Amino acid sequence: MSFLISIVALVVAFLYGGPEALVLTLILGVLEVSLSFDNAVINATVLRRMSEFWQKIFLTIGIVIAVFGMRLVFPLAVVWIASGLNPVQALDLALNPPADGAAHFANGDPSYETIITDAHPQIAAFGGMFLLMLFLGFIFEDKEITWLSWLERPLIRIGKLDQLSVVIASTVLVITAAFIAHDGEQSTVMIAGVLGMISYILVNGLGELFNVDEEGDEPSTGPSDLAKAAGKAGFFLFLYLEVLDASFSFDGVIGAFAITADPILIALGLGLIGALFVRSLTVYLVRQGTLSEYVYLEHGAHWAIGALAFILMYSIGTPVPEIVTGMVGVVLIVAALITSIIRRRREGDDELPATADTALVDTKE
């Protein structure tokens, strides 16, 4: 289905703006996919804990939010708020940029692209801190299986210190505002970063709270591990997924403006091609039980999240090429996949004699 919709999106792009629009949309789709492998894995880890009803909600309403909300409405909302224009004027500004490509109109008003670029520090601070909290929650969580054991096990031990994630995230935020952010942006970065932390703590905490109320079990670190969360718990896991997906999409949306400022092409490339591909990959991982078979994938995805969080914070002061952001995530996930395959084969070799004996008993019976 995602391939069919991608073809439709490319056809629409061609009809909208000719061959150039077609190429730009294809590039945007590739950009989003390259940045979103870790997003798909993390989405799958949460989605498999939700009831079938909430899984369907995420794959229907959630995709509408991802495609039209984050890839079309969000950039327009940024322009609307930052420039003081009303929504109609913001859309007109996006669809009718200066003919000469200048950064400003004749009357001195900033262009759509300029406004979005200027809003990058607060967007990156919010998304970076949300993802950093998610990463820290995972690496400090006590777990049976570790990937980078030489590093993860000591982190699990020191993670027993109460609220260590908040302490580290706050320290990173202060360092970013003091030494990385440009002059005049410090307070904006601090406020946006704190809001990102609050959003994570609130949404994650509500999910755990309602899982305890409905299931009668103890909460776990990060999104609840309780299977098939429904009702209020399912709703808050859905909300958690949407905020998480939004945080992942910030870098793609901002990076898209290095390619084109046209909101229609961004919605087609990042949304209909990229976001739908991520949803398809998420569904595949859940239905195939891939995360259970390849046990290090979740670890690799979280380490990719940690890398993305630090890249977002660093990018507040220094631009980071999208190829770097995308490749870091891909390399970590591929490494996790390879080591998972090696572990699986090793375990399969160890269990082979027992499997043969079981087959013999079944035959005799």
Side-chain angles (χ1 to χ4, degrees):
M1 178 62 73
S2 58
F3 287 104
L4 177 60
I5 294 177
S6 297
I7 292 173
V8 172
L10 292 173
V11 171
V12 172
F14 179 80
L15 296 176
Y16 172 73
E20 182 181 358
L22 172 66
V23 173
L24 290 175
T25 301
L26 184 59
I27 292 173
L28 288 171
V30 173
L31 170 68
E32 180 71 3
V33 170
S34 68
L35 292 172
S36 299
F37 277 102
D38 47 357
N39 189 5
V41 175
I42 295 301
N43 283 352
T45 65
V46 181
L47 193 65
R48 64 179 178 172
R49 301 165 188 163
M50 300 166 70
S51 67
E52 184 178 351
F53 171 79
W54 283 107
Q55 288 182 2
K56 290 180 179 178
I57 291 294
F58 176 71
L59 297 173
T60 52
I61 296 176
I63 194 63
V64 173
I65 296 173
V67 173
F68 298 102
M70 284 309 301
R71 275 76 177 183
L72 180 60
V73 177
F74 170 71
L76 291 173
V78 171
V79 174
W80 173 27
I81 296 170
S83 65
L85 301 174
N86 62 46
V88 175
Q89 291 173 322
L91 181 60
D92 180 67
L93 179 62
L95 295 175
N96 299 286
D100 59 356
H104 293 73
F105 289 103
N107 60 5
D109 293 333
S111 69
Y112 179 81
E113 181 179 358
T114 302
I115 294 172
I116 292 291
T117 303
D118 290 344
H120 175 70
Q122 51 264 49
I123 294 172
F126 179 93
M129 294 311 297
F130 185 94
L131 295 178
L132 181 59
M133 288 292 292
L134 173 62
F135 167 68
L136 293 173
F138 178 81
I139 64 170
F140 291 145
E141 178 186 7
D142 190 10
K143 43 192 172 289
E144 270 184 51
I145 298 174
T146 55
W147 180 38
L148 305 176
S149 300
W150 58 274
L151 179 57
E152 290 183 12
R153 286 175 181 168
L155 289 173
I156 290 172
R157 284 197 294 271
I158 66 173
K160 297 182 185 300
L161 179 64
D162 191 34
Q163 301 301 322
L164 182 60
S165 295
V166 176
V167 172
I168 293 178
S170 300
T171 302
V172 171
L173 180 59
V174 170
I175 292 174
T176 301
F179 301 105
I180 296 179
H182 298 300
D183 291 339
E185 295 177 348
Q186 289 88 347
S187 60
T188 300
V189 169
M190 283 294 297
I191 293 172
V194 169
L195 288 175
M197 294 172 61
I198 291 173
S199 297
Y200 174 84
I201 294 170
L202 180 62
V203 177
N204 181 59
L206 286 173
E208 292 181 353
L209 171 66
F210 284 103
N211 263 310
V212 172
D213 289 345
E214 296 183 9
E215 303 290 345
D217 289 327
E218 292 299 321
S220 61
T221 303
S224 175
D225 290 327
L226 296 171
K228 307 302 180 188
K232 294 176 183 177
F235 169 74
F236 282 110
L237 279 182
F238 168 75
L239 184 60
Y240 179 93
L241 266 178
E242 290 305 318
V243 179
L244 178 62
D245 188 66
S247 298
F248 270 108
S249 66
F250 286 151
D251 61 328
V253 172
I254 297 298
F257 285 90
I259 298 170
T260 178
D262 191 312
I264 304 301
L265 298 184
I266 290 175
L268 290 172
L270 297 188
L272 285 180
I273 296 178
L276 278 176
F277 180 86
V278 173
R279 287 302 195 278
S280 298
L281 183 55
T282 298
V283 171
Y284 175 83
L285 292 173
V286 172
R287 290 180 178 173
Q288 298 297 319
T290 306
L291 297 180
S292 299
E293 295 180 8
Y294 304 100
V295 295
Y296 296 139
L297 270 181
E298 185 176 359
H299 295 73
H302 277 91
W303 280 101
I305 285 174
L308 176 58
F310 282 105
I311 288 172
L312 280 172
M313 301 306 288
Y314 180 76
S315 71
I316 290 173
T318 305
V320 178
E322 284 71 33
I323 186 65
V324 174
T325 306
M327 287 307 298
V328 168
V330 170
V331 167
L332 285 168
I333 289 177
V334 169
L337 176 62
I338 292 173
T339 51
S340 296
I341 293 173
I342 294 173
R343 174 192 170 99
R344 198 162 170 240
R345 288 179 177 174
R346 187 178 301 152
E347 290 179 344
D349 292 340
D350 293 339
E351 294 174 2
L352 187 57
T355 303
D357 292 340
T358 302
L360 182 60
V361 170
D362 291 341
T363 303
K364 288 179 178 179
E365 292 177 352

